[in-house]
């Protein structure tokens, strides 16, 4: 929440959320001060307090740590976490694995939209018998997912490529499910975009932490209600509610909010 950043500071209050991949509903949220605190313990606490540790969780590479993986694995949950340079040794070893081992499952997907064509090649590797540093001893790594993405701009025909890796304690028999989870993980960014553009979250300037948190909660509630309505144009729908208060009341009654 950029509007909470104080003078001379680089970060302010930060909102973190657990979001359902299938319907983008927020299942839990918390806050931390980005200038003083870390996101990693905040996420672990949120997972624990919402009793989500036993579920299937996808996380950004920042959260690939023994503490977080052990928390989920120990509760019987499944994690799928991005693998990047913040775990450089682990990344180097897994890149070597993908270069010297044969993928046990592959899948190719094409997608067109937002002015580009995207080609994705997924590969799954069984790493259940691989050696890992003792600090990873309780996380039970089983699967490595490699994704090669090629994006082509439909107007300029410019092409860009990237390769990403993800690691999981899920058994390799669920490879297709892991491929879907990789794709759907980025779908939750839609919520962040709506908060920034439609709800203009970063435009709220305040030094009061409580105000930032309360208004953030109201935005989460508003977004959840609008997701139930599934309007084609969210901005247009908000304007309809502004112009016709009875229409808003009817909708809130319809979804049993009132």
């Amino acid at each position: 929440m950029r509007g909470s950043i104080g003078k001379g500071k680089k970060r302010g209050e930060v909102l973190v959320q657990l979001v359902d991949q299938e319907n983008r509903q927020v299942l839990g949220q918390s806050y931390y001060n980005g200038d003083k605190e870390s996101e990693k313990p905040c996420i672990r606490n949120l997972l624990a307090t919402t009793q989500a540790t036993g579920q299937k969780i996808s996380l950004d590479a920042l959260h690939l740590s023994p503490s977080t993986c052990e928390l989920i694995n120990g509760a019987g949950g499944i994690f799928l976490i991005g693998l990047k340079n913040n775990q450089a040794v682990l990344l180097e070893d897994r890149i070597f694995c993908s270069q010297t081992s044969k993928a046990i499952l592959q899948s190719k997907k094409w997608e067109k939209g937002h002015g580009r064509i995207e080609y994705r090649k997924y590969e799954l590797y069984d790493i259940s018998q691989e050696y890992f540093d003792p600090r990873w001893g309780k996380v039970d790594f089983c699967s490595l997912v490699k994704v090669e993405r090629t994006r082509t701009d439909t107007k300029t025909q410019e092409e860009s490529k990237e390769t990403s890796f993800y690691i999981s304690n899920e058994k390799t028999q669920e490879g297709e499910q892991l491929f879907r989870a990789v794709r759907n993980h980025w779908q939750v960014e839609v919520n962040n975009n709506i908060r920034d553009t439609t709800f203009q979250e970063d435009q709220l300037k305040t030094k009061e932490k409580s105000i930032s948190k309360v208004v953030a909660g109201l935005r989460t509630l508003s977004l959840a209600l609008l997701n139930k309505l599934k309007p084609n144009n969210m901005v247009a729908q908000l304007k309809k509610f502004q112009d016709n208060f009875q229409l808003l009341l009817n909708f809130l009654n319809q979804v049993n909010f009132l």
Side-chain angles (χ1 to χ4, degrees):
M1 295 180 285
R2 292 187 180 91
S4 67
I5 300 176
K7 186 177 181 180
K9 303 291 185 179
K10 293 184 178 180
R11 304 190 71 185
E13 294 300 305
V14 182
L15 169 69
V16 294
Q17 296 182 322
L18 294 180
V19 181
D20 190 306
Q21 283 194 352
E22 298 299 324
N23 56 29
R24 303 204 311 271
Q25 290 296 316
V26 175
L27 307 177
Q29 68 180 36
S30 186
Y31 308 87
Y32 70 96
N33 188 299
D35 198 52
K36 302 176 182 178
E37 301 168 305
S38 169
E39 183 176 319
K40 290 186 281 188
C42 180
I43 283 290
R44 287 195 290 269
N45 183 63
L46 181 59
L47 289 172
T49 55
T50 57
Q51 299 182 329
T53 49
Q55 304 301 313
K56 296 182 178 180
I57 308 293
S58 64
L59 294 164
D60 293 337
L62 170 67
H63 300 286
L64 182 55
S65 68
S67 297
T68 302
C69 293
E70 287 177 21
L71 177 67
I72 299 171
N73 189 56
I78 300 297
F79 61 79
L80 173 71
I81 309 179
L83 176 55
K84 293 185 177 180
N85 284 324
N86 62 315
Q87 295 291 350
V89 174
L90 184 58
L91 174 61
E92 183 179 353
D93 288 346
R94 294 310 99 206
I95 290 176
F96 181 76
C97 171
S98 70
Q99 293 171 339
T100 57
S101 303
K102 184 177 180 180
I104 63 173
L105 182 65
Q106 292 186 351
S107 180
K108 299 177 181 179
K109 304 290 183 182
W110 293 89
E111 188 174 289
K112 184 176 181 180
H114 305 289
R116 69 185 183 190
I117 299 174
E118 181 172 288
Y119 165 73
R120 298 186 298 275
K121 179 183 178 183
Y122 298 88
E123 294 180 347
L124 177 69
Y125 297 86
D126 184 348
I127 57 173
S128 59
Q129 302 303 313
E130 295 281 329
Y131 169 80
F132 294 96
D133 189 271
R135 71 193 186 101
W136 299 105
K138 297 181 180 180
V139 305
D140 295 333
F141 288 139
C142 290
S143 299
L144 175 72
V145 177
K146 177 182 178 181
V147 185
E148 296 178 340
R149 297 180 179 89
T150 301
R151 298 185 180 94
T152 304
D153 188 293
T154 55
K155 290 184 178 180
T156 65
Q157 296 303 306
E158 290 185 1
E159 189 176 272
S160 62
K161 296 182 179 181
E162 67 175 5
T163 301
S164 303
F165 291 89
Y166 305 83
I167 199 164
S168 175
N169 63 336
E170 177 68 284
K171 302 297 188 293
T172 53
Q173 291 91 327
E174 302 297 332
E176 288 291 350
Q177 189 175 90
L178 286 171
F179 295 164
R180 288 195 299 273
V182 168
R183 178 56 181 159
N184 289 340
H185 178 77
W186 300 110
Q187 295 290 347
V188 303
E189 292 296 328
V190 174
N191 276 11
N192 295 334
N193 182 64
I194 293 173
R195 298 181 75 98
D196 291 340
T197 57
T198 303
F199 291 160
Q200 299 182 343
E201 185 160 57
D202 292 335
Q203 301 304 310
L204 174 63
K205 307 292 183 181
T206 177
K207 296 179 181 179
E208 299 295 331
K209 297 179 182 179
S210 58
I211 294 177
S212 293
K213 293 178 180 180
V214 168
V215 177
L218 291 173
R219 286 191 174 95
T220 299
L221 176 60
S222 299
L223 183 54
L225 290 169
L226 285 168
N227 280 337
K228 288 181 175 292
L229 187 59
K230 297 179 181 179
N232 293 326
N233 187 312
M234 197 165 287
V235 174
Q237 186 62 53
L238 288 172
K239 289 181 178 179
K240 287 181 181 179
F241 286 149
Q242 291 171 0
D243 294 338
N244 189 339
F245 189 63
Q246 187 59 50
L247 181 66
L248 173 60
L249 292 177
N250 291 342
F251 165 66
L252 295 177
N253 276 304
Q254 180 183 344
V255 297
N256 296 319
F257 182 78
L258 296 179

